[in-house]
Amino acid sequence: MSTSPKPVKKVPIHLQSAANRVYIKNGEIVNHDKSFKADVYIEDGIIKFVGPPSEITIPGGVRTIDASGLLIIPGGIDPHTHMQLPFGGAVAVDDFYSGTKAAVAGGTTMIIDFVLPNKHESMIEAYDKWRSWADPKVCCDYGLHVGITWWSKSVSEELGILCKELGVNSFKTFMAYKGLYQLNDSDLLDVFERIRQLNGVAMVHAENGDIIAKNTQRLLAEGINGPEGHELSRPEEVEAEAVHRACVLAHQSDCPLYVVHVMSKSAGIELARARQRYRGRYIMGETLAAALGTDATCCFHMGFEHEAAHVLSPPLRPDPTTREFLMKLLANSY
């Protein structure tokens, strides 16, 4: 049994007052399926009414916002964040306060962060640690994915506790980071089968970690040790191969799969093909704003600090048509 606190809906202090009433009028609401003219009434941080003004009586003491000529867009959900994450001897610069404060300022009202246990660390203890970091600081709603960074009977048992008692039902696996987080195919199959038993969702960082490790050794031996070597160590086909393999493994396990940060055309093609092959069942994916807004040209001949600031895994790609290609995949629901 877990002694961890139950997940809670985090309501910022300024939304907890009964006097918090907001009426937004004359705007155009934009939902996922359509846009339409309507007014919105919010009380205590909860949307109480959406519709024409003739159908609502607004109480006194309300803050009114005239949204004439403006769009009213629901708060965003960012399903992939890393607040104050310790990794590789460094810690992410944004903690759960500064990161979620920035999120709210940009219209994101919920994040889903990642608990990443060290190898052989209890998943429950890691979950408790992340909760202790987040609970006192967050400015918006949040949830947690949990990484499966090693595999054993105890990990399998803790997955059940996380699902049944703590409300976590999405788990991240790694095909990269050899010797740190990477799982082999046999372990991935076991993990996917366990997640399926729990009606959860498997997430995967899809890159071939064995190839990356070999390429890294070769590049270092050749004296290539700057940011430019990052993309050279993990070219497109290394990502695409892993995406294809992850989709096959998940399908063989009958497990829902969410492929995180798809960054290349060839990986996008593999994901789209899997969605078509399996008729969209179980296979999902995401890309990153960076992949849609820039490319790897900023990682060469721009000075170390600039280049290093654009290093991520999988990396930005040198093909300048990548961003348009990925955008088209998104537009066509691939």
Side-chain angles (χ1 to χ4, degrees), residues 237-255:
E237 64 178 7
V238 173
E239 180 188 6
E241 182 277 331
V243 169
H244 173 77
R245 181 159 42 98
C247 291
V248 171
L249 292 171
H251 182 252
Q252 290 295 310
S253 305
D254 200 30
C255 178

Side-chain angles (χ1 to χ4, degrees), residues 18-99:
N20 183 57
R21 298 168 176 171
V22 180
Y23 179 51
I24 306 173
K25 64 179 184 178
N26 302 325
E28 181 164 353
I29 294 173
V30 181
N31 284 337
H32 74 286
D33 56 344
K34 62 182 178 180
S35 60
F36 55 97
K37 292 280 188 180
D39 289 1
V40 180
Y41 175 61
I42 304 166
E43 187 173 290
D44 297 333
I46 299 172
I47 297 172
K48 298 287 189 176
F49 171 81
V50 177
S54 60
E55 296 183 4
I56 183 173
T57 300
I58 303 300
V62 171
R63 177 190 175 202
T64 300
I65 299 173
D66 188 348
S68 299
L70 302 177
L71 302 177
I72 303 172
I73 302 174
I77 299 174
D78 188 338
H80 191 144
T81 67
H82 291 294
M83 304 301 177
Q84 63 192 77
L85 172 69
F87 184 81
V91 179
V93 66
D94 278 316
D95 66 10
F96 278 95
Y97 173 70
S98 63

Side-chain angles (χ1 to χ4, degrees), residues 51-305:
S54 60
E55 296 183 4
I56 183 173
T57 300
I58 303 300
V62 171
R63 177 190 175 202
T64 300
I65 299 173
D66 188 348
S68 299
L70 302 177
L71 302 177
I72 303 172
I73 302 174
I77 299 174
D78 188 338
H80 191 144
T81 67
H82 291 294
M83 304 301 177
Q84 63 192 77
L85 172 69
F87 184 81
V91 179
V93 66
D94 278 316
D95 66 10
F96 278 95
Y97 173 70
S98 63
T100 57
K101 181 180 178 182
V104 171
T108 296
T109 55
M110 179 176 181
I111 65 165
I112 311 180
D113 207 80
F114 287 84
V115 175
L116 291 183
N118 295 318
K119 189 168 287 190
H120 305 305
E121 181 183 10
S122 160
M123 299 174 76
I124 304 298
E125 291 178 2
Y127 170 87
D128 288 343
K129 180 167 59 180
W130 254 259
R131 286 290 304 272
S132 72
W133 292 343
D135 284 352
K137 295 181 179 180
V138 290
C139 301
C140 66
D141 293 339
Y142 83 101
L144 293 170
H145 312 291
V146 176
I148 301 174
T149 56
W150 60 294
W151 187 239
S152 70
K153 182 179 179 182
S154 66
V155 172
S156 178
E157 292 170 349
E158 288 192 327
L159 285 182
I161 295 172
L162 287 163
C163 267
K164 298 173 183 178
E165 299 182 31
L166 298 175
V168 176
N169 62 2
S170 48
F171 301 93
K172 187 176 183 182
T173 61
F174 295 84
M175 302 171 82
Y177 304 124
K178 186 177 178 67
L180 181 62
Y181 294 153
Q182 181 180 338
L183 300 180
N184 60 37
D185 287 0
S186 178
D187 285 344
L188 283 171
L189 283 169
D190 288 342
V191 169
F192 290 169
E193 288 175 356
R194 177 59 171 149
I195 292 174
R196 181 203 64 214
Q197 292 171 358
L198 295 167
N199 295 318
V201 176
M203 310 175 78
V204 65
H205 175 139
E207 293 182 287
N208 189 312
D210 294 306
I211 294 177
I212 292 169
K214 287 285 187 182
N215 285 344
T216 300
Q217 292 176 352
R218 174 179 55 79
L219 290 164
L220 289 173
E222 293 173 0
I224 300 174
N225 57 11
E228 73 281 1
H230 186 67
E231 200 277 336
L232 296 174
S233 72
R234 54 222 305 147
E236 278 200 29
E237 64 178 7
V238 173
E239 180 188 6
E241 182 277 331
V243 169
H244 173 77
R245 181 159 42 98
C247 291
V248 171
L249 292 171
H251 182 252
Q252 290 295 310
S253 305
D254 200 30
C255 178
L257 181 70
Y258 183 99
V259 182
V260 300
H261 42 55
V262 175
M263 297 293 289
S264 65
K265 291 166 70 172
S266 50
I269 289 170
E270 291 295 342
L271 185 64
R273 285 174 175 169
R275 285 177 58 80
Q276 290 177 324
R277 186 165 64 245
Y278 307 135
R279 297 187 176 92
R281 187 184 184 198
Y282 295 151
I283 305 295
M284 301 161 283
E286 67 173 26
T287 188
L288 301 184
L292 303 175
T294 187
D295 55 55
T297 55
C298 58
C299 299
F300 296 90
H301 314 298
M302 301 289 285
F304 177 84
E305 288 189 3

